Amino acid sequence: MLAQNPRVHATPTSALHEIGYIARQVFQTEEAKAVDMEKVLEPMYFDYVKAGCENAFNSITDRPVVVDKCRSWIGHLDQLFKIWPDAKVLVPVRDIRGVLSSMEKKRLKHPEVFNGAEQQNPQSWTTIDKRVQGWLQSPPIGIAIERLHEASQRFGDKLMFIHAEKLTEEPQSVMNSIWEFLEEETFVHNTSNVKQYTKENDIGFPYGDHIIRQEIKPLNKDWHETLGRQLSEQLNEKFQWIKKL
């Protein structure tokens, strides 16, 4: 949707954040100990990351606006806002029941694929309740929820939370709000012909295929059928805070 606007280059899951994350190792080197950490190395590191991020896409796209996608940004907002106090952060969220239902449906569609958690401990993967707990306690879902809660508590007023349900029900209205938040001119979207601008498979088959639907339609809220009414109601109560963001 963002990339329908010819001004915007929207990345698949990006390694940009990881470049800066790996660079943090400099603080543990012998060379780092030879200089003043606070007055020399720290500002050098921030200048390096700032200039690197701002120029990282010069050879990749000529579109003037880049939206960099990475789950890790929301876990390192302290550093992000220290470098860019006015950074624009879009945070997509979805009813947790929809997320977990999607994972379970992928598993049911491809039961032959050996999940890592199942391989390590088959007993933890025998029921829907156990699988849900497993997903909630491991990447990519578990850590994302923890980061989301921390970010909403500390930086909620600086972030834009985009609810998948509302986006698919009122796409143009939500996108208008996004363009306003990004301080860009409103762009009229073609919601019946959304082309696949980015391609990725970041967490492996079958869970992370990232094949988009060409037409934007409201999400199917079938979690009672997939998860069972009792479990889905428990999840709804526990994660009500996500729906209120």
Side-chain angles (χ1 to χ4, degrees):
M1 288 290 286
L2 290 165
Q4 279 193 329
N5 187 332
R7 281 182 49 80
V8 178
H9 172 71
T11 76
T13 296
S14 166
L16 180 62
H17 171 275
E18 301 310 304
I19 295 173
Y21 185 82
I22 293 170
R24 292 171 63 187
Q25 296 180 32
V26 69
F27 289 94
Q28 309 302 321
T29 64
E30 290 299 319
E31 291 80 2
K33 298 174 183 177
V35 300
D36 187 308
M37 289 276 191
E38 187 173 359
K39 294 181 179 180
V40 177
L41 187 61
E42 188 175 51
M44 181 185 292
Y45 168 79
F46 284 131
D47 284 344
Y48 171 85
V49 171
K50 186 175 190 295
C53 287
E54 292 177 355
N55 292 280
F57 295 93
N58 290 351
S59 301
I60 297 174
T61 181
D62 57 2
R63 296 189 175 197
V65 178
V66 174
V67 179
D68 187 77
K69 173 191 170 185
C70 181
R71 296 185 184 94
S72 296
W73 286 118
I74 198 173
H76 299 91
L77 294 176
D78 284 314
Q79 178 173 298
L80 179 71
F81 288 125
K82 187 168 185 177
I83 300 175
W84 296 281
D86 299 319
K88 304 293 187 180
V89 183
L90 304 174
V91 187
V93 293
R94 183 182 180 185
D95 190 311
I96 194 65
R97 297 171 295 177
V99 176
L100 294 167
S101 178
S102 178
M103 297 291 280
E104 179 66 7
K105 285 188 289 186
K106 289 285 188 180
R107 189 199 69 84
L108 291 173
K109 187 176 181 179
H110 303 281
E112 72 283 359
V113 178
F114 217 175
N115 181 282
E118 179 185 5
Q119 187 174 14
Q120 292 178 8
N121 184 7
Q123 190 174 353
S124 70
W125 219 246
T126 55
T127 68
I128 180 62
D129 294 73
K130 288 183 177 181
R131 289 190 291 276
V132 163
Q133 289 308 310
W135 283 315
L136 288 174
Q137 294 170 11
S138 61
I141 298 176
I143 191 172
I145 291 174
E146 292 177 358
R147 287 171 167 171
L148 177 62
H149 188 269
E150 175 77 1
S152 66
Q153 294 294 306
R154 298 186 57 213
F155 301 103
D157 60 334
K158 302 188 72 171
L159 311 175
M160 181 173 186
F161 299 99
I162 304 163
H163 292 264
E165 294 78 16
K166 188 173 182 180
L167 176 63
T168 56
E169 291 167 3
E170 306 172 31
Q172 186 62 60
S173 174
V174 173
M175 291 306 299
N176 288 346
S177 298
I178 291 174
W179 295 124
E180 182 179 0
F181 176 74
L182 295 177
E183 299 181 40
E184 288 284 320
E185 291 185 9
T186 299
F187 180 82
V188 178
H189 292 269
N190 183 347
T191 60
S192 61
N193 185 25
V194 181
K195 295 181 180 180
Q196 184 99 34
Y197 183 83
T198 65
K199 296 181 180 180
E200 64 176 296
N201 194 339
D202 67 327
I203 61 172
F205 179 84
Y207 299 105
D209 53 32
H210 291 279
I211 298 173
I212 69 168
R213 298 180 180 89
Q214 188 174 21
E215 183 178 1
I216 297 177
K217 297 180 179 179
L219 294 173
N220 186 15
K221 300 176 182 179
D222 59 354
W223 41 69
H224 287 331
E225 292 82 356
T226 307
L227 305 175
R229 181 173 294 274
Q230 182 177 356
L231 178 57
S232 65
E233 289 180 351
Q234 291 172 352
L235 290 167
N236 184 47
E237 182 177 353
K238 182 176 181 180
F239 295 100
Q240 190 69 216
W241 60 270
I242 294 179
K243 299 169 70 174
K244 295 179 179 178
L245 292 174

